[in-house]
Each structure stands twice: as structure tokens, then as C-alpha cells.
Amino acid sequence: KSGHIMLLTLVNDISTIEATLQSNHTLKVLEVDDDEIQEHINLATRGMLSARWGIPDCDVERKEQEILWKVVQTQLHSETRARFAALQGVYHSVYSVIDPRFLPEYLAEVDEFHGQGELYIALKSVMSELFSTVNRKECIRQQVASCSQQIGYYFKRRRELKSQLEAIEAAEGSVLSAGTESPRIKRRRAGYQTP
């Protein structure tokens, strides 16, 4: 059985996400006489469709999608990972080796591919890591900086609007003063002499 487990580890090393990314991605078929391990090997190689369908190795985008599929299906699904981990003797959570700054991205993938039930399980196991990424003082500093930028913007905008208002009022004052001239002054400007 230990030889079968080594073959399983070859096609999908579950110890870390990096190990899964580096495990076999080209093996088409691998058969062993242990049904449980065979099921896991089939799951690990099922994503390698390009090898089965003869898609050329130069189709890099397709290969990358298959590799990511393998990670999502075997690392980010709690039950599947638990079965793989038990067979391979891995006893730590996949999330314990993920940098907490990237946990939200992983959790989004879990939700997208496996639904809210799996997301709930993942959240339970990473709750303390998620909260450890929140730096309350830094959040407040960022909010203060944002408010200061907004205040600066509004002070500048206020000056611009006051300037526009003053220009409008000055123009209106010129028009009003021209309209209130006496008829005698208007005639003088027009070149008429008063008797």
C-alpha cells in the first residue's frame, strides 16, 4: 500500500498548494489494484484533459487551467483534501500555509467553485488568520488620510465656486450700473448736446 500512496503523491502531492502545482500534470493513465487509491488517482488525473484529448503541449493557457482545476478540486474542497491528506499522512490545514494576505482570494475561489457550505468550513478554519490581517491603527490612518484628501478637494472646490460667483456678481453689477444711468448722461455719451 505504501507504494500506491507514493504513486498518489506523485500525481497529486497534497502537502501544500505549491506541491500540488508541482506534481504531475502530464500523466494520462495510472492504474493500481487498490480501489480507494485508484479513485484518488483518477480524480487527480481527471483534469489532465489535454493529455487525454491530444491537445498540444504548446497550449499553455489550457494547461494552466487544468493545473488550477486540480488545485481547486483537491486542495480547496474540504472533504476531498481530507481524504487525500489522510492517505498521504498530511495533518495540517491547507490554509495554515497560505499567507493571510491572500486568504480572501482563496476563499472567493472556494465559494465560486464549491459553494457556501465549503466556504463556511473554510471560514471556520481561517477566522483568526483573517482577523490577524486587519491592522486597526493602519485602517484608521488610511481613513484620516482619505478624509484629509476629501477636505482638501472641497476647500479647493469652494474657492473655485466663490471665484465664479464673484465674477458673475461683478458682471451683473456692471450691467446694473449701465442700466441706471440718467438719460442726460446717456445722450452725452451718444454725442448729443443738451439745451
Side-chain angles (χ1 to χ4, degrees), residues 106-169:
Y106 283 97
L107 293 172
E109 294 294 316
V110 168
D111 182 42
E112 181 179 342
F113 290 100
H114 299 299
Q116 290 185 346
E118 282 297 314
L119 177 62
Y120 175 74
I121 292 168
L123 280 170
K124 280 185 3 184
S125 65
V126 299
M127 194 60 70
S128 61
E129 287 89 355
L130 277 176
F131 284 119
S132 73
T133 63
V134 177
N135 181 339
R136 179 118 173 96
K137 286 187 341 188
E138 186 59 31
C139 286
I140 292 171
R141 283 188 188 115
Q142 288 175 358
Q143 289 176 345
V144 167
S146 175
C147 289
S148 297
Q149 287 176 343
Q150 290 175 355
I151 289 170
Y153 166 78
Y154 287 114
F155 273 127
K156 181 181 174 186
R157 183 72 179 136
R158 181 176 175 254
R159 281 193 304 266
E160 291 170 356
L161 291 172
K162 281 182 80 174
S163 173
Q164 290 175 9
L165 185 60
E166 289 170 358
I168 291 170
E169 288 174 348

Side-chain angles (χ1 to χ4, degrees), residues 98-106 129-130 132-133:
I98 296 174
D99 186 331
R101 294 174 298 170
F102 303 117
L103 281 174
E105 294 172 23
Y106 283 97
E129 287 89 355
L130 277 176
S132 73
T133 63

